[in-house]
Amino acid sequence: MNEFAFKGLLQNDGWIDNVTIQTDELGIIKSIRSGVKSKSTHSGYALPGLQNAHSHAFQYAMAGLAELPSTSPNQNDFWSWRKSMYALALRISPDQMESISALLYKEMLRNGYTHVAEFHYVHHDSKGKHYNNLSEMGERLVSGAKKAGIKITLIPIFYQRGGFGKNAETEQCRFISKTYNDYIALFEASKKSTSYHSHASIGIGIHSLRAVDADNIIRLSKERKSRTPFHIHISEQLKEIE
């Protein structure tokens, strides 16, 4: 049993002072007591863990690499950033995905996050071919979260097109589920992968209004189970708003 003492602890009904918390070997809270003398030194104030509701873990590997210097004749914008992101997405391996996500999730934990929702769309190999295990890359994210010690909601993303009425671009080949049934197969494989782990759960996701046919968005929203989270970039670009 571990013991931690705080000057104050925030709960649903407000702050309580001079708190001692006891946890088991897994870090599960077993008792919260206030006004009790503790052997531990009081170390500030405690808040509930934060939840990161939208993560693209693989992009941690490109931090700082998409920004152009002030002397560049071109300006930073979404499209220059996306070019760098696509270059990384085409190269990253399953082993690298696991390592990068573990590093990122550890950084989240250090900064107070205890749960991450992973908006995951790098599904296939670098040629756009399915892995034998459809959720290979998703499993690596779940494994990265386990190594870090953070809870994860894996959200395999439905990404069908390159834009409104546009076929997918070559650089997007790792993201694509061409049909509704292709996506459902990916989702079911991902759901199975998360079912083996107590720290993992599943969500449904659509990349954006421009990246999936409207009838498929409607169908997926109607057919999802009521308690399954649904996640989408609903207005990432001006055309979606228009």
Side-chain angles (χ1 to χ4, degrees), residues 220-236:
L220 189 61
S221 66
K222 286 182 176 180
E223 293 184 1
R224 76 183 178 101
K225 297 291 173 35
S226 61
R227 294 182 63 84
T228 304
F230 190 109
H231 201 31
I232 180 174
H233 291 136
I234 201 155
S235 58
E236 190 185 39

Side-chain angles (χ1 to χ4, degrees), residues 101-107 109 143-150:
S101 64
L103 285 172
L104 173 63
Y105 296 155
K106 287 177 182 179
E107 189 69 15
L109 278 172
S143 181
K146 186 174 184 179
K147 287 180 177 179
I150 197 169

Side-chain angles (χ1 to χ4, degrees), residues 41-56:
T41 303
H42 287 73
S43 55
Y45 297 85
L47 300 171
L50 303 175
Q51 297 187 29
N52 185 333
H54 189 89
S55 168
H56 307 295

Side-chain angles (χ1 to χ4, degrees), residues 13-180:
D13 54 356
W15 288 94
I16 54 177
D17 298 323
N18 299 319
V19 178
T20 300
I21 297 176
Q22 289 188 327
T23 68
D24 65 15
E25 63 277 4
L26 297 177
I28 304 300
I29 294 174
K30 292 301 182 182
S31 70
I32 299 176
R33 298 179 297 166
S34 62
V36 177
K37 199 168 184 179
S38 173
K39 298 176 183 178
S40 304
T41 303
H42 287 73
S43 55
Y45 297 85
L47 300 171
L50 303 175
Q51 297 187 29
N52 185 333
H54 189 89
S55 168
H56 307 295
F58 79 95
Q59 293 176 16
Y60 190 54
M62 61 177 281
L65 298 180
E67 289 72 23
L68 299 175
S70 59
T71 54
S72 172
N74 300 315
Q75 290 187 334
N76 287 314
D77 58 20
F78 173 79
W79 308 106
S80 62
W81 170 86
R82 195 174 78 158
K83 183 177 180 181
S84 296
M85 186 271 286
Y86 281 175
L88 172 63
L90 284 171
R91 295 198 305 269
I92 194 167
S93 71
D95 286 345
Q96 290 170 334
M97 178 70 88
E98 184 172 334
S99 297
I100 293 166
S101 64
L103 285 172
L104 173 63
Y105 296 155
K106 287 177 182 179
E107 189 69 15
M108 287 183 190
L109 278 172
R110 279 194 290 270
N111 286 278
Y113 293 90
T114 56
H115 197 131
V116 57
E118 183 61 42
F119 194 91
H120 165 52
Y121 54 83
V122 184
H123 303 304
H124 315 310
D125 70 16
S126 60
K127 303 297 182 183
K129 302 294 185 183
H130 293 172
Y131 290 104
N132 290 333
N133 174 9
L134 288 178
S135 66
E136 173 68 29
M137 294 296 262
E139 282 195 7
R140 297 310 187 100
L141 290 161
V142 172
S143 181
K146 186 174 184 179
K147 287 180 177 179
I150 197 169
K151 290 185 177 181
I152 184 172
T153 299
L154 180 67
I155 310 172
I157 295 301
F158 192 0
Y159 203 132
Q160 188 178 24
R161 296 195 171 279
F164 290 108
K166 295 181 181 179
N167 291 327
E169 300 173 21
T170 302
E171 294 85 354
Q172 297 169 320
C173 66
R174 302 190 75 173
F175 313 160
I176 300 302
S177 298
K178 292 183 179 179
T179 68
Y180 181 86

